[in-house]
Every structure is written in structure tokens, then in C-alpha cells.
Amino acid sequence: MPHAPCPIPSPQSMPTSTWNRHHVLSLADFTAAEYDTVLKTAASFREVLSRRTKKVPALQGQVVANLFFEPSTRTRSSFEIAAKRLSADTLNFAAATSSMTKGETILDTAKTYLAMGTDIMVIRHKEAGVPNAIADEMDRLGVKVSVLNAGDGQHEHPSQALLDLFTICSLIDAENPRLDLLQDKKIAIVGDILHSRVARSNIWSLIASGAEVHLAAPPTLLPKFFAEYIYAEGTDIPPGKLFIHWQLEPALENADFVMTLRLQKERMTAHLLPSLREYHQLFGITRSKLQLCQPHVKVLHPGPVNRGVEISSDLMDDPEFSLIQSQVTSGVAVRMALLYLLGSGKT
Ligand code: NCD
């Protein structure tokens, strides 16, 4: 799909590589060029967001519908402000106050938004596969609507992993964040990996970057079949790049970055942990445990955080170690980039 001329004021900094993706549903098949395009575009928008006038006309006249069938604070607000900064018109939907309470199906809801002229649907749902089903339906109808997965069940959360990637690459090279900056960095992903869509999307992006990815959780939250799933889905995971630990320490040793994950209590079907206190003792990230890592280690968390469970409260608020607030800030630039890349071919 050809790009419209770049409408933001520093076109020389926009990526020249092609972007042919019509929907963003998963990172499992993202190419290195696509990651770099997102990172570079997000860097341009971060520059826009630092100006006094933070708005550009890139998606003027387009409609972005945020269809959130599951609760959300930061992802929904982040997509909304990103769309507004691009001058799109936004529609917000919350399942609890919608006609779904009267029995309307998800596909009929999506078609209603289509009939109102929606160009991009940002979709979150508690069931895996809903964004894919809506994208298939839009393609079947032959309409040019793009679908962006904002988190589907335990499956994927591509924009979160892309903003995590942007946050850590920008820390290494703020001017030119790019995938190969993470080559051979050690990154630990710690916590409720089994139930986490954030972990799944991050595994794809970090493996693609050439980082060494270490997953750490108790066996109930990181069962053997999870590794089998990852190796089956990720067709070309190079040897020596993905490690699974049922203890925290080997994952933290010399780590450059530690990604912590929320315990997804709403998705736990059984009592998978003896107690939150014991979980914190064994897998919670604290200042003293970080001493195992590189001195420059940084900690990420997608939020919302259970303070004092996944991460100690003081560490969470310590800007020397915590990237949590910059993840939220990065999220706006990255979501602007995704909306721009999907939307700019439509005008
Ligand atoms: C994540 C999500 O919803 O999957 N949060 C987010 O999008 N910022 C992680 C979580 O809920 O724990």
C-alpha cells in the first residue's frame, strides 16, 4: 500500500522502508524491517510530542474506534490520545454500557462501527482471537478497515511489546532506537508468564532483536508446555537465545533489563500460588535481588502493578531503576506510529 506524503513536519526523519501490513494482530511474524520502521516512526512522533504544539494532521478525517471489551486504563487512554495527536476523530466503546448488554454480537458491533466510517479499529477482548476474527470479517467484506490488537486474552499485546522495545532501545540510543541495539543483551521476563499476553508478544520482539531472553516463574506459572508452545510457534528461535528457569536468580544474573509481569488473578483458574507473600519472597523484584544484575539494570512493568507483589513499592518509584513511567510515555509515541503506519495508506 503506498504511503501518503509524510504529513509531519520532519519528513527527512521518517522511515523510507515499506510498510505493507494492513492489520497488527501479533508480533510472531513481524520482520526486523517492520520493527525498525515502528521504532523510527515512534522516535519522530516523540519529537513531535516534545513540541509546544503536539498535534499533526496525519490522520485528519479518519476515524479511530477504540473497541475495548475488557477493562483498561493506560492502553485505552494511550490509543485515544495517540489518535487525537494525529488529528483523527475517535470513538470510544465500553462493553458494559453498550448494546452488547442487549445481546448484540461482537461482529455486529464491529460492523456498526464500520458503517459509521471507522478506518482503524483498536480492539481489546478477554478471549484470544477476537481481533483476528474481526480482521477476517473486514477482509471478507472487502473494506479497507485496519484492526489493531490491543490485547486479546492470553494471546498477544503487540503495542505493549513495541512500546517496551522502544523504551529500552531509546535508553541505549535515544536518537536512533533500532532493533539491533539489543543484540546479546540479557533480558529477564519474570512473573505470570503463562497468563500473560505481554510476555508472548515480548518474546517475539526480543528474540527478533538477538537478545538473550530468560523467562523465570514458578512452574505453575511457567509450565513445560509453555516452552513447547513457544518453540512450536517461533519457527526460527536460534539456539542459546531462550532460557526457562523455575528460580529467579539464574535469570537475574548479569541481566541488563528485567521485565516484571502482573499476577493475572482474573485468568487463574486454580490456586496456583501458596500466597502472595511467598511469591514476593521468591519472585518479587527488590533492590537486593537487583544486585545480581548488571549495575546499569533497569526494571519494566506493563502496569497495572500490584505494589509489593511483583516489585517492591520503593523500587517501582525509583527513577534510577524503574522505567515504568517512561513506558507509559513511550506508549503514546509508539501508538501514534502504529496508527500512522496503518492509516497513512488510506487517505
Ligand atoms: C497489560 C494487559 O492488559 O495485558 N496491561 C496493559 O496493557 N498495560 C498487562 C496486565 O494487565 O497485567
Side-chain angles (χ1 to χ4, degrees), residues 28-234:
D29 62 347
F30 244 58
T31 64
E34 287 174 314
Y35 284 114
D36 279 337
T37 301
V38 173
L39 293 173
K40 198 165 182 186
T41 312
S44 300
F45 284 123
R46 179 177 49 200
E47 193 272 313
V48 168
L49 291 171
S50 70
R51 297 180 194 166
R52 203 146 63 106
T53 305
K54 298 173 170 51
K55 215 164 169 144
V56 289
L59 297 191
Q60 207 158 43
Q62 293 203 32
V63 177
V64 175
N66 286 318
L67 307 183
F68 278 63
F69 299 91
E70 192 198 77
S72 167
T73 303
R74 66 212 79 214
T75 306
R76 201 198 58 72
S77 306
S78 180
F79 270 112
E80 183 172 358
I81 189 70
K84 288 188 161 138
R85 297 290 195 215
L86 293 167
S87 305
D89 295 314
T90 53
L91 292 171
N92 284 308
F93 160 95
T97 52
S98 76
S99 287
M100 288 192 76
T101 58
K102 301 179 186 170
E104 187 171 71
T105 67
I106 293 168
L107 284 183
D108 285 336
T109 303
K111 281 190 221 162
T112 303
Y113 280 89
L114 168 67
M116 283 181 217
T118 296
D119 297 283
I120 302 177
M121 293 184 189
V122 179
I123 296 169
R124 167 168 290 195
H125 200 282
K126 69 176 178 13
E127 302 295 342
V130 168
N132 294 63
I134 295 178
D136 287 349
E137 182 64 5
M138 294 300 137
D139 293 347
R140 192 187 66 77
L141 293 170
V143 294
K144 272 182 140 193
V145 173
S146 289
V147 175
L148 223 159
N149 179 2
D152 62 329
Q154 296 175 203
H155 177 223
E156 284 221 35
H157 193 347
S159 68
Q160 179 67 45
L162 290 167
L163 76 86
D164 292 343
L165 186 70
F166 182 66
T167 306
I168 54 183
C169 289
S170 295
L171 204 70
I172 302 172
D173 185 346
E175 293 302 304
N176 187 10
R178 56 192 188 280
L179 197 62
D180 65 11
L181 291 169
L182 298 190
Q183 181 75 43
D184 298 329
K185 297 277 185 234
K186 178 168 175 179
I187 304 183
I189 304 182
V190 180
D192 187 358
I193 292 168
L194 175 64
H195 298 104
S196 173
R197 52 198 177 204
V198 176
R200 284 169 176 76
S201 291
N202 264 314
I203 289 169
W204 303 138
S205 58
L206 297 175
I207 293 285
S209 75
E212 224 182 73
V213 182
H214 290 252
L215 309 180
T220 45
L221 299 180
L222 182 52
K224 276 195 182 140
F225 72 77
F226 184 83
E228 284 155 22
Y229 158 83
I230 292 295
Y231 278 103
E233 291 285 303

